[in-house]
């Protein structure tokens, strides 16, 4: 199944995008043969299947990149990739986005947990300051080679600080910095 439409274009129309979680080329192939055009490459699923361990920050960027590259070699679906925390600070996020985009990620999800990160479903998480997360988002946006590569910012604030803080956490001016340069197409 070749995708001639970008993920960004696909998200702009109905019906909603359903992206089943995958963790290797076989699960990606099964999902695309079932008719799905978008897939979610799950960090937790990679941890479970590669390491037999929970998603507690043990899987590194190179392991996820290798998995995404193998999946991309097998399927043409849009890949939404779980990049955990970006595997470090804003400089690490820059490298992660460049690598994941190079191997075919259509969207890259970065979360606001502190290290060591834990799966969003687990207790005992802690968050980085919102200003630091904004720096990571800016770095991710600046690192893209194409505006068609989407950056997804995810917060775990609801589990750590409660609902009201979760709503207030994403600073409205976070990504509106005049310093941010547009990504080339």
């Amino acid at each position: 199944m070749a995708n001639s439409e970008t993920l960004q274009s696909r998200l702009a129309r109905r019906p909603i995008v359903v992206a089943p979680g995958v963790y290797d080329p076989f699960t990606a192939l099964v999902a695309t043969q079932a008719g799905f055009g978008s897939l979610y490459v799950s960090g937790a699923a990679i941890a479970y299947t590669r390491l037999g361990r929970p998603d507690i920050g043990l899987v590194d960027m190179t392991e996820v990149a290798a998995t995404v590259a193998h999946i991309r070699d097998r399927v043409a679906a849009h890949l939404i990739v779980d990049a955990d925390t970006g595997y470090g600070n804003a400089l690490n996020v820059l490298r992660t986005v460049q690598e994941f985009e190079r191997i075919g990620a259509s969207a890259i999800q970065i979360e606001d947990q502190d290290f060591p990160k834990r799966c969003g479903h687990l207790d005992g998480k802690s968050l980085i300051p919102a200003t630091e997360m904004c720096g990571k988002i800016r770095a991710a946006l600046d690192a893209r080679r194409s505006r068609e590569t989407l950056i997804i910012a995810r917060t775990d604030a609801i589990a750590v600080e409660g609902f009201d803080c979760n709503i207030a956490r994403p600073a409205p001016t976070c990504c509106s910095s005049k310093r941010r340069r547009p990504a080339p197409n």
Side-chain angles (χ1 to χ4, degrees):
M1 163 188 264
N3 267 327
S4 58
E5 180 179 39
T6 67
L7 179 59
Q8 188 170 20
S9 296
R10 176 58 194 88
L11 288 168
R13 65 176 178 80
R14 292 183 184 219
I16 65 168
V17 172
V18 177
V22 300
Y23 52 85
D24 66 8
F26 181 70
T27 57
L29 182 61
V30 169
T32 57
Q33 288 179 345
F36 293 98
S38 300
L39 308 173
Y40 182 78
V41 183
S42 165
I46 293 170
Y48 297 140
T49 58
R50 286 192 101 174
L51 305 177
R53 303 273 184 208
D55 185 17
I56 54 173
L58 299 175
V59 176
D60 67 24
M61 189 269 283
T62 58
E63 290 171 303
V64 175
T67 301
V68 172
H70 290 305
I71 291 170
R72 175 52 70 219
D73 284 345
R74 194 66 179 108
V75 301
H78 298 127
L79 300 180
I80 303 165
V81 181
D82 178 0
D84 288 342
T85 63
Y87 308 101
N89 63 21
L91 291 174
N92 300 99
V93 168
L94 187 100
R95 179 172 179 248
T96 298
V97 168
Q98 289 172 342
E99 180 65 11
F100 286 10
E101 183 181 40
R102 184 184 66 77
I103 57 179
S106 304
I108 301 161
Q109 174 187 286
I110 302 166
E111 62 197 45
D112 63 353
Q113 285 193 41
D114 202 355
F115 188 82
K117 62 92 53 198
R118 299 176 64 76
C119 180
H121 305 294
L122 301 175
D123 292 331
K125 294 177 290 292
S126 59
L127 305 176
I128 61 173
T131 54
E132 184 177 343
M133 183 61 177
C134 286
K136 286 184 173 192
I137 295 166
R138 284 190 201 107
L141 292 170
D142 287 346
R144 298 178 304 172
R145 296 188 63 125
S146 170
R147 290 181 190 197
E148 297 299 331
T149 302
L150 305 180
I151 304 299
I152 302 168
R154 192 191 98 204
T155 183
D156 282 306
I158 196 166
V160 177
E161 300 173 342
F163 183 77
D164 290 337
C165 288
N166 184 68
I167 297 300
R169 186 164 173 82
T173 59
C174 180
C175 295
S176 65
S177 170
K178 302 264 192 268
R179 297 177 306 166
R180 193 181 87 218
R181 61 182 158 79
N185 273 333

